[in-house]
């Protein structure tokens, strides 16, 4: 695309989201969609992140709050079960952690370089409410 | 069709605004987003009335400014609707930012601009300041001289703008109050004739095509911006005028009314000619005829298409004249007027030695009288007789105080 001439662009400064036509896009999983090169799904923004969310499924109740609140559709959910985080599109905003209702939280923010397995192994204990 | 048809007489007495509103009704606009402004208000009022009375199926979007009006039109056009609106002067100026969006996104919107002076000082009367303000915005610009033209050119505007090879927005200009509020006999088309001339709207890459979703108005930076603008410029320079000519020809077949990209009057053997736009063309034609009775071979060239500027047609129309007066109805603010510049550009490498002078007239609704034009033609003839320009290159017509002229 970098060497495309002025006469080769589709006119109108518009981009197609998918290659070819689509049918039942809502019923098609993201990994099965025929995203075009121009779709933002095709671009990784992982390098924006300085902190990453780590998911501990032992405490997850599949409430889907993180899926609803994630501004970048980076929470992967299948059959209403939280599966993990799409690390190509997560920008590390921490909203998923903020809205996680479990005790202890099943999503926590850690520095980008932290090792996931180590952090899950020493996950925080349940907090007791102060009366 | 669910809407009612209107029975029109062959000739109706309409002013320019109502003529434009009727043309918009007959084209069956899907969406009008408007913030009415004098003197163009009755256009959208007329459309709203037709909508309320079930003569059109569409939406009237009430917005809080002209910027939002054009933004609403852009959204509706990108979504895949036939869209039009109207504005004037300050409202047009407020729209300018979005005008570039419309043309860059290649949306076939039609904008009726009822020309009016730009403040300050505030003035509701007609001149071409707003028309000139929009001339680099990438829109096609057509100029109506009378209510009949305002009616007919709306059909032409939709026809050309919506052509899939063009897809550029189009303005139809008419002179504020002179055309917009002066009722004249207007020969009409029937609803079916009018609608069939422009045809069903066929959107291309519309946002509401859920099977082929697209992003409109993307950010391109230095990677693509130049290419998109180059393509738009290329289409304006090469494709639009032939399409307008074809539309004019088809319209003549339908209605018997002949339009030309450049309207020549008595130009076959003219020695002196004025080039002008809007209502002045009709006055100039009358004076040119009177000048001929006095032995001065006078002609008039009316500009029908301002953008893309018809350089070739202008060159052709002016190839045999000896002296030309370019009449600009806008304050040029630090330069010769637009017409002076464009005509100079068109003739510079042409095989002609015509003497060109620029005149600024009629700012803020000031009259251009037959006496002014008589003096002007006489002055041009004096240039021809002397074989050189005997007056300054730029003069102001009808301004009070000491004579104003430059260069």
């Amino acid at each position: 695309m970098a060497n495309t001439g002025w006469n080769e662009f589709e006119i109108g400064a518009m981009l197609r989201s998918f290659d070819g036509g689509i049918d039942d896009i809502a019923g098609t999983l993201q990994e099965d969609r025929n995203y075009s090169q121009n779709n933002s799904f095709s671009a990784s923004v992982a390098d924006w992140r300085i902190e990453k969310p780590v998911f501990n499924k032992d405490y997850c109740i599949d409430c889907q709050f993180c899926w609803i609140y994630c501004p970048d559709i980076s929470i992967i959910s299948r059959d209403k079960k939280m599966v993990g985080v799409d690390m190509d599109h997560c920008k590390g905003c921490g909203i998923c952690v903020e809205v996680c209702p479990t005790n202890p939280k099943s999503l926590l923010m850690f520095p980008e370089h932290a090792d996931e397995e180590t952090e899950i192994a020493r996950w925080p204990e349940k907090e007791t409410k102060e009366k | 069709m669910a809407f009612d048809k209107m029975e029109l007489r062959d000739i109706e007495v309409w002013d320019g605004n109502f003529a434009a509103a009727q043309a918009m009704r007959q084209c069956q606009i899907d969406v009008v987003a408007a913030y009415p402004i004098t003197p163009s208000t009755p256009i959208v009022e007329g459309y709203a009335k037709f909508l309320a009375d079930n003569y059109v199926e569409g939406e009237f979007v009430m917005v809080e400014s002209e910027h939002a009006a054009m933004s609403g039109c852009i959204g509706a056009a990108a979504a895949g609707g036939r869209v039009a609106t109207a504005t004037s002067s300050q409202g047009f100026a407020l729209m300018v930012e979005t005008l570039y969006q419309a043309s860059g996104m290649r949306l076939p919107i039609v904008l009726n601009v009822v020309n009016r002076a730009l403040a300050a000082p505030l003035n509701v009367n007609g001149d071409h300041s707003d028309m000139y303000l929009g001339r680099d915005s990438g829109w096609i610009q057509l100029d109506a001289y009378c209510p009949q033209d305002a009616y007919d050119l709306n059909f032409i505007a939709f026809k050309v703008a919506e052509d899939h090879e063009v897809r550029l927005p189009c303005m139809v200009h008419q002179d504020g109050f002179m055309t917009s509020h002066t009722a004249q006999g207007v020969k009409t088309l029937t609803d079916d004739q009018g609608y069939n001339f422009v045809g069903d709207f066929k959107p291309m890459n519309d946002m509401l095509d859920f099977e082929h979703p697209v992003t409109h108005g993307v950010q391109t930076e230095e990677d693509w911006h130049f290419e998109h603008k180059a393509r738009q410029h290329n289409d304006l320079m090469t494709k639009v005028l032939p399409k307008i000519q074809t539309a004019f020809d088809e319209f003549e077949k339908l209605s018997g009314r002949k339009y030309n990209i450049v309207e020549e009057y008595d130009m076959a053997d003219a020695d002196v000619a004025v080039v002008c736009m809007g209502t002045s063309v009709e006055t100039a034609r009358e004076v040119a005829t009177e000048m001929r009775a006095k032995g001065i071979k006078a002609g008039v060239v009316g500009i029908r298409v301002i953008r893309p500027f018809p350089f070739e047609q202008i060159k052709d129309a002016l190839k045999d004249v000896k002296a030309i007066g370019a009449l600009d109805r806008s304050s040029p603010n630090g330069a010769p007027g637009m017409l002076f510049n464009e005509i100079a550009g068109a003739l510079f490498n042409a095989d002609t030695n015509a003497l060109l002078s620029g005149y600024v007239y009629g700012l803020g609704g000031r009259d251009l009288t037959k006496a002014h034009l008589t003096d002007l033609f006489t002055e041009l003839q004096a240039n021809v007789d002397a074989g050189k320009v005997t007056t300054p290159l730029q003069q102001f017509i009808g301004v009070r105080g000491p004579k104003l002229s430059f260069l």
Side-chain angles (χ1 to χ4, degrees):
Chain A
M1 191 165 280
N3 293 318
T4 311
W6 64 266
N7 53 339
E8 294 163 283
F9 280 105
E10 227 178 324
I11 66 171
M14 49 128 245
L15 299 175
R16 295 187 180 283
S17 307
F18 301 94
D19 288 328
I22 54 160
D23 190 28
D24 186 30
I25 198 68
T28 311
L29 293 175
Q30 282 176 328
E31 53 265 35
D32 299 330
R33 293 178 190 168
N34 198 15
Y35 285 117
S36 76
Q37 190 195 337
N38 299 320
N39 196 299
S40 55
F41 193 83
S42 309
S44 170
V45 286
D47 58 346
W48 292 24
R49 219 168 40 228
I50 51 171
E51 278 189 314
K52 65 179 175 187
V54 171
F55 172 54
N56 186 339
K57 70 172 185 300
D58 291 348
Y59 298 103
C60 182
I61 57 171
D62 293 319
C63 68
Q64 309 284 298
F65 280 14
C66 53
W67 182 82
I68 288 167
Y69 280 95
C70 175
D72 288 302
I73 327 176
S74 295
I75 301 294
I76 307 170
S77 178
R78 293 288 174 266
D79 299 324
K80 297 187 180 171
K81 296 262 184 284
M82 164 69 176
V83 178
V85 182
D86 169 5
M87 285 299 179
D88 280 343
H89 297 103
C90 171
K91 299 176 181 71
C93 69
I95 287 175
C96 52
V97 171
E98 202 64 39
V99 299
C100 183
T102 60
N103 188 3
K105 284 181 185 290
S106 29
L107 277 158
L108 282 174
M109 299 304 285
F110 290 97
E112 186 62 29
H113 56 77
D115 179 60
E116 208 163 310
E117 282 178 27
T118 318
E119 300 301 345
I120 287 176
R122 54 179 191 201
W123 205 258
E125 294 297 311
K126 179 172 179 172
E127 282 176 31
T128 49
K129 279 186 184 165
E130 287 171 30
K131 285 189 180 172
Chain B
M1 280 181 277
F3 53 87
D4 297 335
K5 295 205 176 164
M6 195 177 270
E7 292 289 326
L8 300 175
R9 280 167 293 216
D10 290 347
I11 297 179
E12 294 272 354
V13 180
W14 289 343
D15 60 22
N17 278 333
F18 200 66
Q22 284 282 3
M24 281 161 71
R25 175 185 67 79
Q26 292 187 324
C27 294
Q28 287 294 322
I29 318 287
D30 295 315
V31 177
V32 170
Y35 191 84
I37 180 169
T38 302
S40 72
T41 308
I43 295 182
V44 289
E45 273 179 357
Y47 176 83
K49 182 87 168 69
F50 295 139
L51 186 73
D53 294 347
N54 197 38
Y55 286 112
V56 273
E57 274 189 313
E59 287 285 334
F60 188 92
V61 187
M62 280 176 270
V63 288
E64 91 293 352
S65 74
E66 282 88 350
H67 188 277
M70 184 44 66
S71 301
C73 287
I74 290 167
R82 177 174 281 166
V83 176
T85 187
T87 195
S88 295
S89 181
Q90 310 300 123
F92 182 87
L94 188 53
M95 268 186 192
V96 163
E97 191 258 340
T98 51
L99 295 180
Y100 283 77
Q101 307 279 354
S103 64
M105 287 161 72
R106 307 293 295 260
L107 301 172
I109 299 165
V110 171
L111 174 62
N112 276 282
V113 184
V114 181
N115 293 132
R116 166 187 149 185
L118 284 169
L122 197 63
N123 186 319
V124 296
N125 288 298
D127 73 25
H128 292 164
S129 303
D130 47 6
M131 181 201 286
Y132 280 31
L133 175 63
R135 68 189 202 267
D136 285 348
S137 63
W139 286 54
I140 301 163
Q141 287 177 284
L142 306 175
D143 190 28
Y145 308 158
C146 61
Q148 179 74 63
D149 296 359
Y151 178 70
D152 295 346
L153 289 179
N154 263 280
F155 295 102
I156 307 283
F158 280 107
K159 183 100 174 159
V160 174
E162 290 173 4
D163 189 295
H164 274 194
E165 282 177 48
V166 174
R167 278 202 285 158
L168 282 163
C170 185
M171 293 177 202
V172 179
H173 294 275
Q174 52 176 299
D175 279 3
F177 293 106
M178 299 291 279
T179 302
S180 69
H181 284 64
T182 306
Q184 292 184 355
V186 174
K187 291 178 192 150
T188 62
L189 302 173
T190 66
D191 285 5
D192 283 339
Q193 278 179 325
Y195 186 79
N196 292 336
F197 177 75
V198 295
D200 288 336
F201 181 56
K202 297 187 185 68
M204 190 179 258
N205 300 328
D206 55 309
M207 286 195 300
L208 293 185
D209 177 359
F210 292 125
E211 277 155 29
H212 299 90
V214 290
T215 305
H216 275 272
V218 297
Q219 188 168 1
T220 59
E221 304 304 341
E222 70 274 30
D223 280 349
W224 293 5
H225 182 88
F226 201 172
E227 280 70 28
H228 278 295
K229 290 291 184 192
R231 178 151 204 171
Q232 186 179 330
H233 188 65
N234 177 70
D235 289 353
L236 274 161
M237 293 297 276
T238 60
K239 286 187 186 166
V240 175
L241 286 179
K243 291 284 180 193
I244 292 176
Q245 190 58 58
T246 311
F248 281 165
D249 293 344
E250 278 179 45
F251 194 78
E252 189 192 4
K253 263 184 225 155
L254 174 70
S255 68
R257 295 191 285 280
K258 174 81 182 143
Y259 289 93
N260 296 299
I261 289 168
V262 166
E263 300 284 358
E264 296 181 30
Y265 180 84
D266 272 358
M267 286 302 292
D269 62 340
D271 284 339
V272 293
V274 297
V275 185
C276 53
M277 294 188 288
T279 42
S280 322
V281 176
E282 294 190 334
T283 319
R285 284 174 181 167
E286 199 163 309
V287 177
T289 306
E290 291 176 10
M291 297 314 285
R292 285 196 174 246
K294 292 180 195 167
I296 292 177
K297 286 182 178 174
V300 178
V301 173
I303 309 277
R304 183 68 77 191
V305 185
I306 305 136
R307 281 293 180 276
F309 196 78
F311 289 95
E312 288 300 323
Q313 288 85 343
I314 285 285
K315 205 197 295 188
D316 195 47
L318 296 173
K319 64 181 185 298
D320 294 326
V321 294
K322 295 169 183 154
I324 306 159
L327 269 66
D328 283 285
R329 197 178 188 181
S330 168
S331 166
N333 280 336
M338 184 269 279
L339 275 183
F340 179 90
N341 278 328
E342 308 290 38
I343 292 164
L347 296 184
F348 191 75
N349 283 334
D351 189 19
T352 169
N353 293 316
L355 304 162
L356 176 64
S357 10
Y359 295 87
V360 176
Y361 75 98
L363 302 187
R366 179 68 51 86
D367 278 339
L368 177 73
T369 63
K370 287 169 73 175
H372 290 138
L373 280 156
T374 306
D375 289 351
L376 206 152
F377 275 118
T378 311
E379 206 168 279
L380 292 175
Q381 184 60 45
N383 287 350
V384 174
D385 295 341
K388 60 176 184 176
V389 179
T390 57
T391 51
L393 280 185
Q394 184 182 55
Q395 299 181 69
F396 281 55
I397 301 174
V399 65
R400 285 194 295 268
K403 209 173 168 189
L404 203 49
S405 58
F406 303 97
L407 302 172

